[in-house]
Amino acid sequence: MGASIVEEVLAPSPPPILVGSSPRRRWIARLGPNLVLFACAVFFVAPLLSMARFTLQNVPVIRLGWSTLFDKWTFRALTKAFDDPLFWPTLKLSLKLAVGTIVVSLGLLIPTALYVNLRLPRARGLVEFLTLLPYVVPPIALVAGVAAFFRPNAKWYLNSDYALVPLYVVMALPFTYRSIDAGIRAIDLRTLVDASRSLGAGWGTTLRRILLPNLSASIVSATFLTATVVLGEFTMAATLAKTTFPVFSYQYFGREAQGGIGLALLTLVGSTALLGIFTLFTRRKARKRTARA
Amino acid sequence: MTTAVIDQTGGRIDDAAPAPGRRVRGFAWIGLLPFLLFLFVFLLLPTYGVARKAFIGADHSFTWTGMSDAVTKERPAFVQSLKISLVSALLGVVFGTLLAYAAATATRPKWLRSLVSAFSGVAANMGGVVLAFAFFTLLGRQGLGTKILTTGGVDLYKSSWFDITGFWGIATVYLYFQIPLMFLVTLPAIDGLKVSWREASSNLGGTTWTYWRRVGLPVLAPSMLGGFLLLFANAFSAFATAYALNTRFNVVPVKISFYLQGDIAGRSPLPFALATWMVIIMAVAMGGYLLLRRRAERWRS
């Protein structure tokens, strides 16, 4: 699935609704919601834990019990997967695809979003509508069309591994554009641009020294989401027979179940680490800005 | 037309109309050219390629047979696709809304709400190989969760209705991204329920039940219905998760992939007709979602 249809901006928290005033009545009223929260916590955490255990413990589930709970924990399944001749090439390819997708996305969408907001506000509705179209054409349909259209017309394009880059840009478009556009709307774009221009800065300087620093938070969030989508994308890569990292994980799972699941775990941990780093980065940046102000 | 948009984060007012004295001329549209060209080549042309293969027969003339053949030949795949999308969307709406209500009204701990929101952002985008593998290890025949449940007296695999590669198994896995997606969609609507409405209801003698039936649910209805359509579309288009769990699971996306791999030359119109049907269904569901979302925003102020 990859890029899913997440597009609601979270609103700030409202005052909570309290039912009943005595602690006892409140506890009873909270019983249902707390049960829901607990059940969800179990449902969402359990698969991740069992995946980690499957990779890191060499004890089959049948023989697992209290006495064998701490036996044979090892990274061997993972290190064995690292030694596979396809591990590094496919990881490198996926990382290159991620970087390529990010560069093309930002290079295409930042100028477009700035242009729409500065010069062509009445095109905003149209552009927003266009950026939602990839939801209507799901990856499996898009890739069928790419194969159907480009095979007779531009076979060289399909033969390249980087054929995936523009397709990933399209797939990520709804949230990359939204994120950049939200960033632009949160700043006083016209005043900043007019001030910079009247002080004698050219467009390049204005972009580099004024606009990009002000948009860094939304650029970072677009970058992170794009990276996680590309590093997990399976549908288009598999259909076009490009052995990216997720495709390799899937194939490796067929040979070595434990190692294949280890690779999936690695993807998950890697994406989460990316998220953590970017969150820290943006938070520090925001703190610096408030300190300066 | 002048629309003033109040930004949620900054609270600044952003004037959408062009500043006075700057007339928008026709050639201003040239600036959109790279973007439009990109979408034309990598979205419109492929879609055209799909439709062309679906509607143009072997004799190069327009025909409906490809489309009707797809429905008759692959009826089980359509039925299964609709069924799993309906079931996972319905369950996703119910549990996602409950989760959003539980998280939005929780007073302690303070970080709970932002934790659930952040996690939902990640989980709603999860899917594919990683998610499928995680559930294999949990609820597969040799899964850890299966064993714990069996020890607790619930044997999932005793009667044959549950299998991680079957309908209910895959529906369960879909819930892993459906519930968080519904949470993200419905949280703003739940935040929009004002405490004063509830107070007004109880001042007029209404019980909790009356409040939900006459005020709460009617206000939430558009975003719940919209969320349902969004989740339906999301499940209908999901390919990698289903494929990684069961390469022969009979749903439309898996069938498209099956026919594409079997027919390298792309002579058969079948996968393309299936893909066209898929685009049509997605367009209807997403269109309905966007309309309902506009309606749902009426109560947010």
Side-chain angles (χ1 to χ4, degrees):
Chain A
M1 187 195 55
S4 142
I5 310 175
V6 182
E7 50 163 62
E8 295 293 321
V9 179
L10 299 178
S13 154
I17 303 164
L18 290 180
V19 190
S21 43
S22 78
R24 206 190 126 100
R25 275 189 63 190
R26 204 183 301 160
W27 190 84
I28 291 169
R30 287 301 304 169
L31 191 62
N34 284 340
L35 272 178
V36 170
L37 285 170
F38 178 74
C40 283
V42 171
F43 179 72
F44 285 101
V45 174
L48 308 179
L49 289 182
S50 83
M51 178 161 71
R53 192 213 72 89
F54 188 90
T55 307
L56 301 176
Q57 190 181 21
N58 272 332
V59 177
V61 169
I62 297 185
R63 273 199 264 135
L64 192 66
W66 292 117
S67 55
T68 50
L69 196 58
F70 298 104
D71 289 2
K72 296 190 190 164
W73 286 81
T74 168
F75 281 102
R76 204 171 304 144
L78 264 180
T79 48
K80 199 175 158 202
F82 294 164
D83 290 338
D84 192 279
L86 276 177
F87 176 82
W88 290 110
T90 54
L91 182 62
K92 244 188 254 169
L93 174 62
S94 275
L95 289 175
K96 276 189 210 159
L97 288 174
V99 172
T101 308
I102 289 163
V103 169
V104 175
S105 284
L106 296 180
L108 186 70
L109 296 181
I110 293 177
T112 302
L114 284 173
Y115 191 82
V116 166
N117 278 285
L118 272 177
R119 283 286 165 83
L120 212 53
R122 60 180 183 153
R124 185 179 277 159
L126 173 76
V127 171
E128 254 170 31
F129 172 74
L130 290 175
T131 59
L132 289 177
L133 282 185
Y135 287 152
V136 176
V137 187
I140 188 73
L142 183 66
V143 79
V146 166
F149 189 83
F150 287 102
R151 194 167 281 134
N153 296 321
K155 206 167 167 47
W156 55 268
Y157 166 74
L158 280 185
N159 286 338
S160 160
D161 282 344
Y162 299 100
L164 288 169
V165 168
L167 304 183
Y168 289 170
V169 172
V170 169
M171 215 174 98
L173 187 60
F175 58 80
T176 39
Y177 185 82
R178 229 183 126 89
S179 154
I180 291 168
D181 191 49
I184 290 176
R185 284 189 198 199
I187 60 175
D188 199 347
L189 180 66
R190 196 177 296 279
T191 310
L192 285 178
V193 169
D194 286 349
S196 163
R197 303 275 291 152
S198 67
L199 288 170
W203 276 109
T205 316
T206 307
L207 190 68
R208 207 177 63 245
R209 303 211 24 206
I210 309 293
L211 296 177
L212 292 185
N214 270 302
L215 296 176
S216 64
S218 60
I219 290 173
V220 162
S221 83
T223 301
F224 160 69
L225 273 165
T226 312
T228 48
V229 164
V230 173
L231 294 179
E233 204 284 327
F234 177 79
T235 307
M236 299 207 249
T239 312
L240 291 180
K242 312 287 182 210
T243 314
T244 59
F245 191 68
V247 175
F248 165 67
S249 308
Y250 180 73
Q251 291 169 351
Y252 192 77
F253 173 73
R255 285 179 278 146
E256 297 265 347
Q258 209 182 358
I261 286 176
L263 295 177
L265 182 70
L266 202 69
T267 310
L268 192 67
V269 171
S271 312
T272 316
L274 270 182
L275 173 70
I277 292 165
F278 282 132
T279 317
L280 281 181
F281 173 83
T282 40
R283 201 174 287 168
R284 212 181 47 205
K285 197 114 192 178
R287 206 178 301 148
K288 222 188 262 170
R289 195 170 309 143
T290 43
R292 218 183 290 153
Chain B
M1 192 187 76
T2 309
T3 39
V5 180
I6 297 176
D7 189 75
Q8 280 187 320
T9 45
R12 291 193 191 87
I13 290 170
D14 171 27
D15 193 5
R22 290 189 207 199
R23 294 278 318 273
V24 180
R25 281 175 292 269
F27 63 79
W29 291 88
I30 286 174
L32 286 183
L33 214 57
F35 175 73
L36 295 178
L37 209 63
F38 185 87
L39 278 189
F40 178 76
V41 174
F42 293 107
L43 186 63
L44 208 66
L45 284 184
T47 314
Y48 165 75
V50 169
R52 200 187 126 85
K53 288 243 176 194
F55 286 111
I56 303 294
D59 56 347
H60 300 285
S61 63
F62 182 88
T63 169
W64 289 98
T65 46
M67 291 294 278
S68 56
D69 276 2
V71 182
T72 45
K73 254 192 220 161
E74 293 301 333
R75 184 181 296 274
F78 275 102
V79 170
Q80 178 112 304
S81 261
L82 289 175
K83 239 169 70 182
I84 199 156
S85 308
L86 284 174
V87 166
S88 74
L90 208 65
L91 292 173
V93 165
V94 171
F95 290 113
T97 309
L98 285 176
L99 177 64
Y101 180 77
T105 55
T107 44
R108 268 180 323 170
K110 265 187 187 159
W111 41 262
L112 183 88
R113 183 193 156 101
S114 44
L115 177 79
V116 177
S117 301
F119 181 82
S120 294
V122 177
N125 277 308
M126 225 160 105
V129 179
V130 173
L131 187 63
F133 285 180
F135 270 93
F136 256 132
T137 65
L138 185 71
L139 295 177
R141 211 168 270 275
Q142 304 293 327
L144 185 64
T146 311
K147 172 159 181 153
I148 292 174
L149 285 175
T150 311
T151 320
V154 185
D155 190 350
L156 280 180
Y157 284 85
K158 196 174 169 192
S159 55
S160 58
W161 68 273
F162 187 90
D163 193 305
I164 196 66
T165 60
F167 180 85
W168 287 104
I170 292 181
T172 309
V173 180
Y174 279 12
L175 285 183
Y176 200 91
F177 52 75
Q178 297 282 57
I179 292 174
L181 182 59
M182 188 63 198
F183 171 87
L184 294 175
V185 169
T186 198
L187 190 65
I190 286 188
D191 283 343
L193 292 177
K194 295 194 179 67
V195 186
S196 54
W197 296 347
R198 186 160 200 155
E199 288 164 357
S201 163
S202 59
N203 283 345
L204 293 168
T207 58
T208 307
W209 166 244
T210 352
Y211 166 72
W212 281 112
R213 199 172 57 90
R214 309 282 295 263
V215 183
L217 286 178
V219 170
L220 291 183
S223 50
M224 283 174 78
L225 201 60
F228 176 79
L229 289 174
L230 185 73
L231 265 59
F232 178 88
N234 198 26
F236 200 89
S237 64
F239 165 74
T241 316
Y243 181 82
L245 284 161
N246 181 356
T247 50
R248 304 169 71 95
F249 191 56
N250 198 9
V251 285
V252 176
V254 177
K255 274 282 147 158
I256 294 175
S257 148
F258 175 78
Y259 287 123
L260 278 180
Q261 281 168 6
D263 182 21
I264 304 294
R267 271 190 288 269
S268 158
L270 195 52
F272 303 101
L274 288 174
T276 308
W277 276 116
M278 202 164 161
V279 171
I280 293 170
I281 293 169
M282 294 297 286
V284 172
M286 289 303 297
Y289 162 68
L290 290 176
L291 282 179
L292 283 164
R293 192 177 67 170
R294 202 169 292 168
R295 235 200 115 115
E297 272 162 5
R298 216 173 30 173
W299 291 103
R300 283 178 223 159
S301 53

